[in-house]
């Protein structure tokens, strides 16, 4: 998100003073103390301020527990852990301060980029459900990632078909090659998974394209962008083809061949058109046994 929403709360503390919780009002810009008459005071010309979001049980400047249900816009917003410490001089002629909170989480977007040729294109087999994205850690304690890999129910955009996306905010941590990263159910009720959680860094957004096959899921592309300045999760349904470039032609290394009984020959693909086609997997078959 690029801005706070009505009802969002931020905790702000100043040197030697108890924290005050401020709540965003309906206009999206005005903040009011949640406890009437409890303010932060300029007790000196320069103060150190500590601020964090969200204001939830167990959350403070260095500690945060990962919410595992991020399936709604409200829920995923509460997973957007941010903090800021700043030493500020009292403004001349006023008392307002400006603090830009820093994101402590990483954003992972799983996109269903293509399906293997094993599925019937015209059937509901080409869809997914029950998608889970795993965070390498379950919490932040004293500023460090802790806990075991944890499954998150992501924010879904689409209906499980081609182009659908699944977004989760995860604890930044090092890679874990043996841990489950993504699980899902395909249209034939098979449970598939991607093994190996990559390294994720705070303030980065990772879009990972998946090719879903009957026996395995393949990562076809990864895009990493800066997420420190915020971004908006667009609404509505994903459109088929928006994330996929289809193959229009395949050229083999031979145009014809004759194989004697008992002999073998290996064919190979010389080129695929277009060269940037999303899924370039080739399956061989014959209608003459």
């Amino acid at each position: 998100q690029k801005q706070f929403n009505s009802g969002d709360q931020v905790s702000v503390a100043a040197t030697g003073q108890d924290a005050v919780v401020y709540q965003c009002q309906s206009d999206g810009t005005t903040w009011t103390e949640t406890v009437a008459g409890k303010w932060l005071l300029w007790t000196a010309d320069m103060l150190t301020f500590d601020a964090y979001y969200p204001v939830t049980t167990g959350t403070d400047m260095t500690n945060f527990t990962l919410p595992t249900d991020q399936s709604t816009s409200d829920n995923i917003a509460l997973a957007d852990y941010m903090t800021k410490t700043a030493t500020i001089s009292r403004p001349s002629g006023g008392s307002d301060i400006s603090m830009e909170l820093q994101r402590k989480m990483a954003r992972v977007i799983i996109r269903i980029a293509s399906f293997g040729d094993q599925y019937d294109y015209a059937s509901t087999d080409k869809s997914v459900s029950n998608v889970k994205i795993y965070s390498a850690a379950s919490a932040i304690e004293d500023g460090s990632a802790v806990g075991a890999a944890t499954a998150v129910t992501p924010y879904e955009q689409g209906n499980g078909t081609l182009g659908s996306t699944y977004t989760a905010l995860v604890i930044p941590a090092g890679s874990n090659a043996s841990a489950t990263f993504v699980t899902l159910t395909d249209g034939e009720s098979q449970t598939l998974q991607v093994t190996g959680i990559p390294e994720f860094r705070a303030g980065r957004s990772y879009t990972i394209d998946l090719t879903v096959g009957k026996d395995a899921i393949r990562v076809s592309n990864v895009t990493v962008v800066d997420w420190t300045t915020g971004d908006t999760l667009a609404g509505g349904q994903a459109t088929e083809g928006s994330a996929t470039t289809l193959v229009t032609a395949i050229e083999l290394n031979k145009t014809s061949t004759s194989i004697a009984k008992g002999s073998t020959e290996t064919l190979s693909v010389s080129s695929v058109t277009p060269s940037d086609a999303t899924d370039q997997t080739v399956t061989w078959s014959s209608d003459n046994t």
Side-chain angles (χ1 to χ4, degrees):
Q1 298 180 358
K2 292 184 177 180
Q3 62 185 26
F4 288 99
N5 296 320
S6 174
D8 283 344
Q9 294 182 340
V10 174
S11 173
V12 187
T15 306
Q17 302 179 51
D18 293 336
V20 175
V21 175
Y22 294 89
Q23 181 165 309
C24 188
Q25 302 304 298
S26 58
D27 61 4
T29 58
T30 303
W31 294 77
T32 304
E33 302 84 8
T34 58
V35 178
K38 186 176 182 180
W39 304 297
L40 294 175
L41 303 176
W42 283 101
T43 56
D45 289 336
M46 181 175 291
L47 295 175
T48 297
F49 294 87
D50 292 321
Y52 69 83
Y53 170 88
V55 179
T56 54
T57 302
T59 300
D60 57 32
M61 288 295 296
T62 59
N63 299 281
F64 178 73
T65 300
L66 178 70
T68 56
D69 181 3
Q70 300 180 18
S71 59
T72 68
S73 58
D74 287 341
N75 286 3
I76 196 171
L78 292 176
D80 194 3
Y81 177 49
M82 297 181 282
T83 68
K84 179 68 174 181
T85 297
T87 300
I88 303 174
S89 297
R90 180 171 183 169
S92 176
S95 60
D96 291 347
I97 64 171
S98 177
M99 297 179 69
E100 184 174 316
L101 299 178
Q102 297 174 336
R103 281 196 156 104
K104 299 299 181 181
M105 304 293 284
R107 183 172 68 174
V108 176
I109 303 172
I110 298 297
R111 181 165 54 195
I112 307 303
S114 59
F115 289 89
D117 293 336
Q118 310 97 321
Y119 295 104
D120 178 4
Y121 190 83
S123 77
T124 56
D125 294 346
K126 286 206 167 187
S127 65
V128 301
S129 60
N130 302 321
V131 176
K132 302 289 185 183
I133 299 173
Y134 285 72
S135 171
S138 61
I140 296 174
E141 289 184 5
D142 297 327
S144 299
V146 298
T150 302
V152 174
T153 302
Y155 179 78
E156 178 182 359
Q157 293 171 277
N159 55 5
T161 55
L162 197 66
S164 297
T165 61
Y166 300 85
T167 303
L169 307 188
V170 300
I171 303 289
S175 61
N176 187 337
S178 61
T180 299
F181 176 38
V182 178
T183 60
L184 55 80
T185 303
D186 70 4
E188 295 187 348
S189 300
Q190 298 181 103
T191 299
L192 304 172
Q193 72 177 36
V194 176
T195 300
I197 301 177
E199 177 183 359
F200 292 125
R201 297 185 179 182
R204 297 289 186 271
S205 179
Y206 302 79
T207 299
I208 301 172
D209 290 345
L210 296 184
T211 295
V212 179
K214 285 191 176 182
D215 299 319
I217 307 173
R218 179 170 60 88
V219 175
S220 56
N221 187 57
V222 179
T223 303
V224 183
V225 296
D226 178 68
W227 187 47
T228 55
T229 56
D231 197 6
T232 299
L233 291 173
Q237 297 294 308
T239 56
E240 182 172 324
S242 61
T244 303
T245 302
L246 300 178
V247 174
T248 59
I250 296 175
E251 182 179 345
L252 304 182
N253 63 320
K254 288 189 174 184
T255 57
S256 64
T257 187
S258 179
I259 307 173
K261 182 178 180 179
S263 299
T264 62
E265 182 170 333
T266 300
L267 297 177
S268 61
V269 176
S270 299
S271 65
V272 173
T273 304
S275 60
D276 63 345
T278 303
D279 184 5
Q280 301 188 21
T281 305
V282 174
T283 302
W284 305 99
S285 62
S286 172
D287 60 0
N288 188 339
T289 57

